[in-house]
Amino acid sequence: MSDRTLMANQWWGVVGIPPGEAHHWRIGPLDLWVKRLKGEWRVARRAGEDSVDASLESERLRDDPGLAELGDVERFAVDDEEEALTLEPVLADRSIITRPETPFHVPAHEKVTVYVSTPLWLRIQAGEPPDLLREAPIYRPSDTWVGPNPREGELCYASRTRVVLNLENAPMVPHRATTALLLRNQADHALSLDRIHRPVETLSLYQGADGRIWPPDVARE
């Protein structure tokens, strides 16, 4: 038995899960199940392959979902009877190298604001005050190395994104944050936007009025 809700744009927040019950979320390509038992929480995750999947739903499960058959299962022991589970979007634990899906250029002496997206991680916390259970990518980007040679540089995540000029045309994807990027070309020749290097580990997130998740804006010259 379940109570399923198709969600408009928000999957994060606090939900109560009584002992013996579970909850299921579909956040883009990720299926997440969390079950509350006496003295422990059980978390199961199953990652899909579709990086642009925009699915979003929440489902309360009163019957045993059989987590062992659904995905990778982890158990977390606790000494309280708190029922509160908190889901929170966070940014990656490394810098992100984002490349446009199609070549993008800014002519000489032009200035433009574009919108790109950044992959999100999921932080799972339990109890009041919340204790961290797990933090993991909703959809894990591939690894890439940025530096002059294999010894000097930085291990980053690689991601591709659409470069959108009109925010209304930017898709609402539940597992990605939207970034406003100001491009100012002060040179006498065209600027090619080949990649965007963003150290995101310490950046905060906020929710806009339209439900989008935003990190701070960026200016590039």
Side-chain angles (χ1 to χ4, degrees), residues 2-5 22-25 57-61:
S2 66
D3 299 320
R4 175 172 295 181
T5 303
H23 207 99
H24 167 248
W25 290 264
E57 64 181 58
S58 173
E59 184 179 12
R60 181 181 179 184
L61 305 173

Side-chain angles (χ1 to χ4, degrees), residues 88-99:
E88 179 184 358
V90 294
L91 289 167
D93 54 357
R94 301 182 203 152
S95 296
I96 303 264
I97 303 297
T98 304
R99 298 182 184 273

Side-chain angles (χ1 to χ4, degrees), residues 21 23 30 59 69 76 82 138 147 150 153 156 169 182 192 208:
E21 295 190 8
H23 207 99
L30 176 70
E59 184 179 12
E69 301 175 1
F76 300 89
E82 291 281 352
I138 298 176
C156 303
N169 296 330
L182 174 62
S192 296

Side-chain angles (χ1 to χ4, degrees), residues 122-137:
L122 168 67
R123 179 178 292 162
I124 307 172
Q125 301 174 98
E128 289 291 348
D131 293 321
L132 178 65
L133 300 185
R134 171 64 62 208
E135 188 172 299

Side-chain angles (χ1 to χ4, degrees), residues 174-190:
H175 58 285
R176 298 182 73 93
T178 302
T179 298
L181 180 66
L182 174 62
L183 302 176
R184 184 185 294 110
N185 186 5
Q186 299 179 338
D188 294 327
H189 52 81

Side-chain angles (χ1 to χ4, degrees), residues 80-92:
D80 58 50
E81 298 181 359
E82 291 281 352
E83 300 179 1
L85 186 88
T86 303
L87 299 187
E88 179 184 358
V90 294
L91 289 167

Side-chain angles (χ1 to χ4, degrees), residues 29 31-32 39 62 87 97 105 135 158:
D31 281 291
L32 172 71
R62 293 188 175 89
L87 299 187
I97 303 297
H105 310 280
E135 188 172 299

